[in-house]
Amino acid sequence: MLTEFEICQSITYCRRMTTAATALRTLGTDGPGVSALGLGLMGMSDLYGPADDAESIATIHAALDSGVTLLDTGDFYGMGHNEMLLREALRGRDRDQVAISVKFGALRGPDGSWVGVDTRPPAIKNALAYTLRRLGTDHVDVYRPARLDPTVPIEETVGALAELVQAGYVRHVGLSEVGADTLRRAHAVHPIADLQIEYSLISRGIEADILPTARELGVGVTAYGVLSRGLLSGHWDADRDVRDFRAHLPRFSGANLVHNLALVEALREIADAAGATVAQVAIAWVLTRGDDVVPLVGARRRDRLAESLGALDVELSSADLAAIEAAVPPTAAAGTRYDAMQMSFLDSEK
């Protein structure tokens, strides 16, 4: 485990660790005010291979101490482990200074398999009851279905969430990976604070219809996958032995990977000229997409968190942005962001 001295090795780093506190954004018209960067906790419990609980908690603490206030989890991340990890990390902290975003509805088997989606009103209330107990809190700041349930009209799902808002168990309603039409239907039932959806230099599908619709409705965007699951981190290489879920993702396979890593190298030249890392430039680019967009970084370790927070100090000029667009055009990536089965679950891709 890293020591405090190793983490806070320089005045520059320590300064960067305070910038998140002063860079606030709002999730939608009526949503909560949060830090400009949020911390996604999934990888601390699931899908990216083994993680160290002590280092994960230390990373959450470092994020909180830096001013990060938005923490994103899901009740199916590690089948409840992620929520219990967050509860431990928040022990002794001021709960009211943190915005907890929780996804629900994805069903898992005891072997970790994905077995469907359930967003029926009774299931939502049941899921929230368990979430509140695992988190050790009396409310969730943003509660959202992880995927659209094809058997339940979105109006029923959002109607149930609205009841939970009225009862005080949920402060704001969010959605995840839905298309523009679904977003409109949902927002007509109850205000939607934010849409959580993948958005990065190589995942720009939301720019055509979804992002304009969100802005028309006053819905914020929390962007996950800003480093495309590590592909845009600048730390990936073609010879890496992948033994987690990324082994099944088209962008990490064969010729697709070679092509995508060439895009990363083109981005590295721009980052080097800007005195930043590839990851920092990729995150900083998402930050430029608008004050209604809040990137979620998935750091599992304090050194990776430090690098991500450094993106807040990266100022991209118009020339930098033009160079980035030339190096990584909107449709430049090879391969879809999930495999065919997972893509079929995404209302946002229909």
Side-chain angles (χ1 to χ4, degrees), residues 153-304:
I154 191 63
E155 290 83 359
E156 289 187 23
T157 297
V158 175
L161 291 169
E163 292 178 8
L164 294 172
V165 171
Q166 186 174 12
Y169 297 117
V170 171
R171 296 285 168 83
H172 303 279
V173 177
L175 292 175
S176 177
E177 288 289 358
V178 301
D181 179 64
T182 301
L183 183 58
R184 288 185 186 280
R185 289 167 53 198
H187 194 72
V189 176
H190 186 276
I192 304 301
D194 74 311
L195 171 63
Q196 188 173 120
I197 194 165
E198 186 169 351
Y199 191 22
S200 74
L201 270 169
I202 60 173
S203 294
R204 297 177 62 174
I206 74 167
E207 293 177 343
D209 297 314
I210 297 174
L211 185 56
T213 299
R215 285 177 168 159
E216 175 191 334
L217 299 175
V219 176
V221 170
T222 43
Y224 77 88
V226 294
L227 295 181
S228 195
R229 299 164 187 84
L231 189 56
L232 290 177
S233 68
H235 303 297
W236 200 274
D237 65 74
D239 297 325
R240 183 167 175 172
D241 184 16
V242 186
R243 299 189 180 186
D244 54 45
F245 92 113
R246 288 171 289 194
H248 307 288
L249 300 182
R251 289 181 176 175
F252 287 82
S253 301
N256 286 350
L257 178 61
V258 174
H259 171 88
N260 293 332
L261 287 179
L263 298 177
V264 174
E265 290 311 304
L267 190 61
R268 193 185 304 276
E269 294 185 15
I270 299 169
D272 288 345
T277 68
V278 173
Q280 287 168 348
V281 167
I283 296 168
W285 179 87
V286 179
L287 284 165
T288 68
R289 307 318 286 174
D291 289 342
D292 54 351
V293 177
V294 177
L296 296 172
V297 296
R300 303 196 296 170
R301 305 191 324 243
R302 286 171 284 176
D303 57 338
R304 291 289 189 252

Side-chain angles (χ1 to χ4, degrees), residues 7-80:
I7 296 169
C8 213
Q9 325 178 26
S10 70
I11 294 175
T12 300
Y13 169 77
C14 293
R15 180 177 60 81
R16 285 176 172 170
M17 288 290 282
T18 67
T19 57
T22 58
L24 299 179
R25 298 189 173 191
T26 303
L27 297 185
T29 302
D30 302 313
V34 298
S35 49
L37 289 182
L39 181 63
L41 308 183
M42 182 187 74
M44 296 178 179
S45 300
D46 217 348
L47 298 179
Y48 289 105
D52 179 82
D53 282 359
E55 180 60 23
S56 295
I57 290 172
T59 301
I60 296 171
H61 286 169
L64 295 173
D65 292 342
S66 77
V68 171
T69 63
L70 177 61
L71 302 176
D72 182 74
T73 182
D75 63 9
F76 51 93
Y77 293 166
M79 285 66 81

Side-chain angles (χ1 to χ4, degrees), residues 92-165:
R93 299 275 176 157
D94 185 349
R95 167 67 181 88
D96 292 334
Q97 298 301 309
V98 178
I100 300 177
S101 167
V102 179
K103 291 182 288 297
F104 70 89
L107 305 178
R108 308 286 297 270
D111 60 351
S113 60
W114 304 91
V115 296
V117 178
D118 189 353
T119 67
R120 294 170 300 141
I124 294 174
K125 294 176 182 178
N126 179 73
L128 181 61
Y130 281 85
T131 281
L132 293 176
R133 178 61 63 93
R134 284 190 292 262
L135 287 173
T137 186
D138 62 358
H139 72 279
V140 169
D141 297 282
V142 186
Y143 201 48
R144 73 183 81 244
R147 295 289 185 268
L148 186 68
D149 185 339
T151 68
V152 180
I154 191 63
E155 290 83 359
E156 289 187 23
T157 297
V158 175
L161 291 169
E163 292 178 8
L164 294 172
V165 171

